[in-house]
Amino acid sequence: MATTGPQASSPRRRRGRPGHDQAAILRAAVELFNRKGYDATSMGDLARELGLTKPAIYHHVAGKEQLLGQALDDALDELTAAVAEASREREGTTAYGRLRAVVRRSVEVLVAHQPSVTLLLRVRGNSEVELAALERRRWLDDRLAELVADAVAEGALRGDVPPALVSRLLFGMVNSLVEWYRPGGAYDTATVADAITSLAFDGLARHETAPDQGDQAS
């Protein structure tokens, strides 16, 4: 990454801190928002973190809210695309198969965008940007619930749990990764994605129940 001016010799820059480009500024902002809280983080804090002046940051972004919006879009865009694709009926596919696939894909997206997803899960609707992100999350919940309902109608899933609750539980299982998953740790992405998908759907899959002892006796 090219460096110019006094920042090129800065100790902060020599340790690999981000430079002037917008992507690096966004990464640093997300890290700070997660560490300090969005409301408690100022543009001055971000400038100090980057070793830049505030005018240098404002050259790339209008302000803190724009950075928040970009971070939330980063968390949501790929998952929105995956859920939208799974919601479309296609010849040769089942709702159950598409549901399984999108749950697995959601794990991959979360791992790839973990800092932004962590931030997304902390927003509470205190601004228009946050409200828009929460609305997108509701859309995801609704589409996943529709897939669950379709899989129930196919006879692939048990029907005694409300689809909207199943949707929230599935996303809740995936979202819990932000609390403990660390890249380079004991489990790689594929292992975690396989485990969550298997556990979720082995628990939800419809099974024939054996008669109890009383039925056998009669």
Side-chain angles (χ1 to χ4, degrees):
M1 185 180 299
T3 56
T4 59
Q7 288 80 15
S9 60
S10 153
R12 184 182 294 273
R13 293 297 302 283
R14 286 200 299 269
R15 291 199 301 270
R17 288 292 189 178
H20 291 77
D21 62 282
Q22 188 168 355
I25 290 171
L26 180 60
R27 286 194 298 272
V30 171
E31 180 184 343
L32 269 178
F33 294 160
N34 282 330
R35 191 195 320 154
K36 293 171 60 73
Y38 171 73
D39 291 331
T41 302
S42 69
M43 291 297 281
D45 294 329
L46 181 57
R48 284 188 291 275
E49 182 78 4
L50 290 164
L52 302 174
T53 64
K54 286 197 289 185
I57 296 176
Y58 284 122
H59 176 73
H60 294 284
V61 296
K64 190 172 78 165
E65 191 170 40
Q66 182 183 344
L67 287 166
L68 177 63
Q70 290 173 348
L72 298 180
D73 285 344
D74 179 67
L76 285 162
D77 284 350
E78 284 192 44
L79 184 57
T80 299
V83 171
E85 175 66 18
S87 297
R88 288 192 285 271
E89 293 185 18
R90 298 184 302 282
E91 186 176 353
T93 68
T94 63
Y96 175 76
R98 285 180 276 122
L99 178 63
R100 267 191 92 109
V102 81
V103 169
R104 193 181 197 287
R105 177 61 182 147
S106 70
V107 175
E108 297 169 346
V109 170
L110 184 147
V111 170
H113 301 271
Q114 188 169 348
S116 296
V117 175
T118 301
L119 181 60
L120 170 67
L121 296 177
R122 294 176 179 174
V123 302
R124 294 294 179 265
N126 296 327
S127 67
E128 290 299 319
V129 169
E130 293 185 31
L131 287 170
L134 292 177
E135 183 62 30
R136 292 182 70 182
R137 287 189 66 186
R138 283 190 288 271
W139 183 90
L140 292 169
D141 281 331
D142 291 346
R143 298 294 78 73
L144 201 70
E146 289 174 359
L147 265 177
V148 172
D150 289 344
V152 170
E154 291 173 349
L157 295 183
R158 56 192 291 177
D160 59 328
V161 183
L165 177 57
V166 173
S167 173
R168 288 182 176 275
L169 291 172
L170 288 172
F171 275 140
M173 183 184 295
V174 174
N175 290 339
S176 70
L177 293 177
V178 303
E179 301 298 333
W180 63 268
Y181 183 80
R182 297 295 178 267
Y187 308 107
D188 62 19
T189 304
T191 299
V192 174
D194 287 343
I196 286 181
T197 305
S198 177
L199 287 172
F201 289 96
D202 286 346
L204 291 170
R206 185 179 180 183
H207 299 287
E208 294 298 327
T209 56
D212 61 27
Q213 294 299 316
D215 291 337
Q216 290 177 333
S218 60

